Amino acid sequence: MGSGASISATQERASPDRGSGWSELWRKEDWWAVWVGLATVLIAYAAFAQGTSIGWIAVAPAKWSSPDQLLAQLSADAVRYVAQFVVFAAVFTAALTAIGQRPSAFLGSFVLVYLVSLGIFVLGAWDKAQTYNLEPPLIALFLGLLIANTTGIPASLSGAFRVEFYIKLGIVLLGATLPFTLILWAGPVAILQASIVSILTFLVIFFVARKLGLDHRLAATLGAGGAVCGVSASIAIAGAVRARKEDPPIAITLVVLWAIVLIFLLPLVARALGLPAGVGGAWIGTSEFADAAGFAAAQAYGGLAGPETGIAGTADQAVWAYTLIKVVGRDVWIGIWALVLSLISVTYWERSGTGGPVEVGQIWWRFPKFVVGFLLASILVTVVTRGISFADYNAQVKPTLIAPITSLRIWAFTFSFLSIGLTTRFRDFAPAGGRPAIAFTAGVVVNLVVGFVLSVLVFGSYWAALAK
Amino acid sequence: MHFDNDPHRLERAFPNLSAMSSGFASVKSRDGLCSLRAIYLPAGESCCSHHAADI
């Protein structure tokens, strides 16, 4: 067989990489987060417009101070919790089955996720929780890590550990509670701040990695993980630059390890420095790489705000500032990063070629679509509540429309934080090696220091006054 | 088949991927693993051997 014929005989090319066309709308979890999130917001609004509320199904434990009080509360709301579980299970099973999960694998696992999450909610609602630093996001993560790494939980019970689906759904729901006017007001500063840190962090990781002799493609994969949106960015850039098979696992190991360290470290340091909630949220948004990990840290820090700790601001400010920096300022640019690095890769690094053109369309194909849902939810609620006085908003809109959506969002986030722990297996980490670890850690230091300077010293008053 | 972009298999091939991301995410597009060349690449790329003599 001639060599030319041999090459063509073994050459495989899938259909041109135009995302997955319309099928993306029901095959990607991003879109399912959008559908489920927007449907929830629309149903909540429909109920509100009819003079009622979805509050009955959005039940969550209220503050309690004694076991008797807790028991009475849980007994009274037992039917609501059962109904809530059934609705969550039905909707999530439908969504995840559509993207290719087996329903039976999801359902059994979701019972575990729901019950442990309920336990975390209960602990977080204890009136002494703040005194003992029992922040629900951190408990969820810690408990998940403990279960996954000590009990040898079987793979058959992992069907519902879908970190990304839950966090994306939570972000869409969060959009409904974040005024669009605030996104317009704070968005430019968030984008400026995030861009400075992203570009600086990428360049530091990339050039330190190259200086240490690492391959261009690994350097870019590591750089994106630290600069844009963690593991998701690493995997997107690995594809864009045609990385070697062993590169993504190295980046995953370093991103996940550092992200977990920062989940605990950032709220701790921010508290020690007494940063206002909005400022702490902005710093976390600038310094954490992975969305879910950062939300855990930001929600934990927001939960500390109040007179007992002396931390100024509100829980919402921490989460909103984090969201603006992370989602609006960093996540949305992943397609641009992929396009630029893809061009550089085929032009300079991999000139021997893999055969395909660099497609500009990847800016959209790789776009994190849940951001569309986040923005639509924000616009929708902002439009339907315009013209309502501040007093009426607080008396009517907040308790019957915003509060139930917020409660469902916190449920979704808790499922996600618990799932981070449940899916992180320390024994499965790829051996990253010293040089990638040094390069990535250099980027972490830049993220932390520059993030602190921008969030606290340069834009501190701006983030402290967010939505005041 | 040398090219594989099935999300389930990708999550198994890259342990801990699902801890903070997902094989089903939009950012992944339709990228997959080319076992012939041991690289991770977009679906529109070719997954071919450049060592014709080995075939």
Side-chain angles (χ1 to χ4, degrees):
Chain A
M1 194 185 285
S3 62
S6 301
I7 290 173
S8 64
T10 57
Q11 190 161 1
E12 289 178 14
R13 190 190 296 270
S15 55
D17 188 19
R18 288 175 172 70
S20 307
W22 291 105
S23 65
E24 267 229 351
L25 297 174
W26 62 89
R27 279 194 178 161
K28 292 287 187 184
E29 70 186 2
D30 286 55
W31 280 116
W32 274 104
V34 173
W35 306 141
V36 175
L38 287 183
T40 305
V41 174
L42 285 172
I43 292 168
Y45 175 66
F48 169 74
Q50 296 297 315
T52 177
S53 167
I54 62 163
W56 189 85
I57 201 80
V59 59
K63 280 273 178 220
W64 59 274
S65 54
S66 70
D68 290 344
Q69 200 182 10
L70 173 67
L71 206 62
Q73 184 197 133
L74 290 177
S75 304
D77 289 333
V79 177
R80 295 172 70 189
Y81 286 109
V82 172
Q84 185 185 60
F85 169 80
V86 170
V87 171
F88 274 143
V91 173
F92 294 169
T93 302
L96 293 169
T97 302
I99 64 169
Q101 292 239 132
R102 280 186 300 114
S104 56
F106 178 80
L107 269 175
S109 174
F110 187 65
V111 173
L112 173 75
V113 170
Y114 184 84
L115 288 177
V116 178
S117 297
L118 179 59
I120 291 162
F121 255 107
V122 165
L123 202 57
W126 182 30
D127 66 352
K128 299 280 188 303
Q130 209 174 48
T131 312
Y132 296 109
N133 290 323
L134 296 173
E135 283 305 317
L138 305 186
I139 299 169
L141 181 74
F142 181 75
L143 209 57
L145 284 172
L146 198 69
I147 295 170
N149 292 284
T150 58
T151 63
I153 198 161
S156 58
L157 260 184
S158 64
F161 305 165
R162 300 305 313 178
V163 174
E164 283 282 286
F165 174 69
Y166 301 133
I167 205 73
K168 287 166 183 171
L169 171 60
I171 292 172
V172 175
L173 295 176
L174 177 65
T177 63
L178 184 62
F180 192 64
T181 44
L182 189 65
I183 297 176
L184 293 178
W185 177 75
V189 173
I191 290 171
L192 174 69
Q193 178 171 330
S195 300
I196 292 169
V197 174
S198 291
I199 292 168
L200 214 56
T201 302
F202 180 87
L203 292 175
V204 167
I205 296 176
F206 185 85
F207 285 111
V208 171
R210 290 294 298 146
K211 193 81 183 161
L212 293 171
L214 298 178
D215 178 76
H216 286 104
R217 293 162 292 176
L218 175 57
T221 304
L222 288 171
V228 192
C229 50
V231 174
S232 291
S234 284
I235 205 78
I237 298 306
V241 301
R242 293 77 171 153
R244 294 167 307 173
K245 186 185 175 184
E246 61 269 29
D247 293 344
I250 294 172
I252 291 167
T253 294
L254 292 168
V255 168
V256 173
L257 274 176
W258 266 115
I260 288 175
V261 169
L262 293 178
I263 288 173
F264 293 100
L265 187 70
L266 284 169
L268 203 70
V269 177
R271 182 177 185 174
L273 296 173
L275 299 182
V279 177
W283 186 30
I284 293 166
T286 323
S287 301
E288 258 288 9
F289 349 96
D291 282 16
F295 270 112
Q299 192 172 303
Y301 193 62
L304 293 171
E308 290 159 17
T309 56
I311 292 169
T314 63
D316 276 347
Q317 282 182 318
V319 174
W320 288 354
Y322 170 81
T323 308
L324 287 163
I325 297 264
K326 189 73 184 65
V327 177
V328 179
R330 295 173 89 166
D331 292 359
V332 297
W333 307 107
I334 185 61
I336 305 277
W337 281 96
L339 176 68
V340 171
L341 289 167
S342 179
L343 271 171
I344 295 172
S345 177
V346 299
T347 311
Y348 299 106
W349 302 341
E350 272 292 280
R351 273 179 293 188
S352 56
T354 46
V358 172
E359 304 252 24
V360 177
Q362 67 183 299
I363 293 175
W364 172 243
W365 303 330
R366 295 190 191 279
F367 186 83
K369 310 298 188 305
F370 64 89
V371 178
V372 174
F374 164 78
L375 292 173
L376 283 176
S378 175
I379 292 169
L380 185 74
V381 174
T382 304
V383 167
V384 300
T385 56
R386 79 188 188 286
I388 295 177
S389 70
F390 187 66
D392 284 346
Y393 183 88
N394 280 334
Q396 294 167 15
V397 180
K398 227 173 177 175
T400 53
L401 178 63
I402 303 299
I405 294 175
T406 303
S407 173
L408 293 175
R409 183 251 290 176
I410 295 173
W411 272 106
F413 277 4
T414 305
F415 297 153
S416 180
F417 304 150
L418 178 64
S419 298
I420 292 178
L422 289 170
T423 45
T424 301
R425 310 289 166 99
F426 292 120
R427 62 180 175 277
D428 288 342
F429 277 134
R435 290 178 299 161
I438 292 169
F440 193 79
T441 303
V444 172
V445 172
V446 169
N447 244 339
L448 284 170
V449 174
V450 179
F452 182 84
V453 170
L454 290 174
S455 306
V456 181
L457 306 180
V458 179
F459 297 117
S461 55
Y462 187 84
W463 294 117
L466 186 70
K468 265 191 179 169
Chain B
M1 287 291 287
H2 300 297
F3 181 77
D4 186 2
N5 61 359
D6 176 77
H8 294 286
R9 286 194 290 274
L10 204 67
E11 289 188 352
R12 283 196 293 273
F14 294 156
N16 286 315
L17 167 66
S18 55
M20 287 188 191
S21 185
S22 165
F24 301 88
S26 289
V27 293
K28 187 192 115 337
S29 191
R30 291 195 302 146
D31 302 347
L33 279 168
C34 169
S35 57
L36 205 59
R37 299 188 61 206
I39 55 174
Y40 182 70
L41 76 181
E45 298 280 322
S46 59
C47 173
C48 63
S49 170
H50 287 261
H51 301 283
D54 297 337
I55 300 163

